[in-house]
Amino acid sequence: MEFSFLIVTRHRVAELLHTLSKLEPLFQEELSEVLVFIDACPETEALIPRFPWVRWSGSATPLGASAARDRLYPHGKGTIFIGLDDDAHPITDGFLAIVREKFRNPRTGVLAFREIKGLFANDEACLLAAGSPGDEYHAADFIGSGFAIRRDVYMGTRGFPEWIDIYGEETCVAFEVLENGYDLLYVPSIVINHRVDMEKRRRAGRNYFRFERQLRNSFFIFLVYYRYPFRRMLRLLLHNFRKYAVRDRAYFSAYCRAMAAIVWRTPAILRFRKPLSAATENKIKSLDGIPY
């Protein structure tokens, strides 16, 4: 088995149906497999009879995206894991051959795909909107909506962290991949359509839920992975207080909830602390992020 497509889903039946329909032409029993983890959403189980070639699993109680991925990924049998969101699918023809070729370099641990957000009439329209792919480069992170990681590289990390529910879990895996001596390669020639309604997002305006989760999870990431995290954590809290919390009542409430979670959960998070080496910290500083 060469490829394992791995998807976690929760309350997005229509989106998952679309994604699986896109993956079905790629499915070859001897070459690939598709695993879907249903995170406490019984309505999704209606899809199971429609896709008998999918390996289904799940939890009766909600775990969150990161913990669900942590539960799912060790069951993949492929030598290469391809992680997708339930509302994202690859649109580059022959992208599996590109993935295979990029992993011929034994130092490459993760491939970060290029994410194009939006709803398009078809894949061709999305590719047209994507434009020129640009250059590949070694990166500091990847996006969970579309990436590939060698199974042995993933299993050499602690996996997606159980102490994060959503937002920031990819950073943890990326840090541990880098710490173990592997590279993350941004491959813009492989395009993923993340089918997000951008106009709906714009109408919704500020995303307070995302702000709260990213603030507290960034704090915990500094605490877990950096040798001397206190200055970083202080800057994080001050920056978000000045830029958001003092200017918007809803952001202030989200900030206070994040601070309460930080105070309450820090003793438990400390047991996961595993600081990066100085060499890895310096390498991260030298690497660029990927476009979001």
Side-chain angles (χ1 to χ4, degrees), residues 192-209:
I192 297 293
N193 180 202
H194 192 183
R195 303 184 307 275
V196 177
D197 189 335
M198 299 304 294
E199 181 59 31
K200 184 177 180 180
R201 276 196 176 183
R202 279 190 288 268
R203 290 198 303 268
R206 301 174 179 89
N207 192 326
Y208 303 110
F209 176 82

Side-chain angles (χ1 to χ4, degrees), residues 75-270:
H75 295 286
K77 298 178 181 178
T79 58
I80 297 171
F81 290 170
I82 297 177
L84 297 172
D85 278 357
D86 55 8
D87 59 350
H89 67 279
I91 62 174
T92 301
D93 289 337
F95 85 98
L96 291 178
I98 301 174
V99 169
R100 185 184 295 118
E101 178 61 29
K102 298 303 178 185
F103 277 130
R104 292 189 189 281
N105 183 341
R107 288 195 57 187
T108 300
V110 177
L111 303 180
F113 303 156
R114 182 162 55 126
E115 177 192 55
I116 303 299
K117 293 187 179 76
L119 302 177
F120 298 90
N122 49 50
D123 291 348
E124 290 72 22
C126 182
L127 279 173
L128 184 62
S132 175
D135 297 328
E136 297 179 358
Y137 57 84
H138 288 141
D141 54 6
F142 63 92
I143 299 175
S145 59
F147 69 97
I149 183 169
R150 284 175 26 204
R151 186 183 195 279
D152 62 320
V153 171
Y154 178 80
M155 298 304 292
T157 71
R158 292 182 290 179
F160 288 99
E162 63 184 63
W163 43 273
I164 285 181
D165 49 0
I166 192 170
Y167 304 132
E169 64 270 25
E170 302 96 335
T171 298
C172 300
V173 175
F175 280 2
E176 297 195 15
V177 167
L178 291 168
E179 178 74 359
N180 289 341
Y182 296 100
D183 293 324
L184 284 72
L185 183 65
Y186 175 55
V187 186
S189 59
I190 300 178
V191 177
I192 297 293
N193 180 202
H194 192 183
R195 303 184 307 275
V196 177
D197 189 335
M198 299 304 294
E199 181 59 31
K200 184 177 180 180
R201 276 196 176 183
R202 279 190 288 268
R203 290 198 303 268
R206 301 174 179 89
N207 192 326
Y208 303 110
F209 176 82
R210 182 185 292 267
F211 169 78
E212 178 184 343
R213 290 302 192 276
Q214 287 184 331
L215 176 59
R216 77 181 193 191
N217 291 342
S218 295
F219 183 95
F220 290 145
I221 288 169
F222 290 152
L223 180 64
V224 169
Y225 287 107
Y226 280 88
R227 294 171 301 142
Y228 308 109
F230 300 107
R231 184 176 297 179
R232 294 174 183 273
M233 294 188 298
L234 182 61
R235 283 202 303 262
L236 172 76
L237 298 178
L238 288 175
H239 169 77
N240 282 277
F241 183 79
R242 291 168 176 166
K243 185 173 182 179
Y244 298 102
V246 298
R247 300 183 180 183
D248 183 295
R249 182 175 297 177
Y251 270 129
F252 180 77
S253 296
Y255 186 93
C256 291
R257 289 193 298 271
M259 289 299 299
I262 286 169
V263 172
W264 177 257
R265 294 185 59 199
T266 289
I269 297 296
L270 280 170

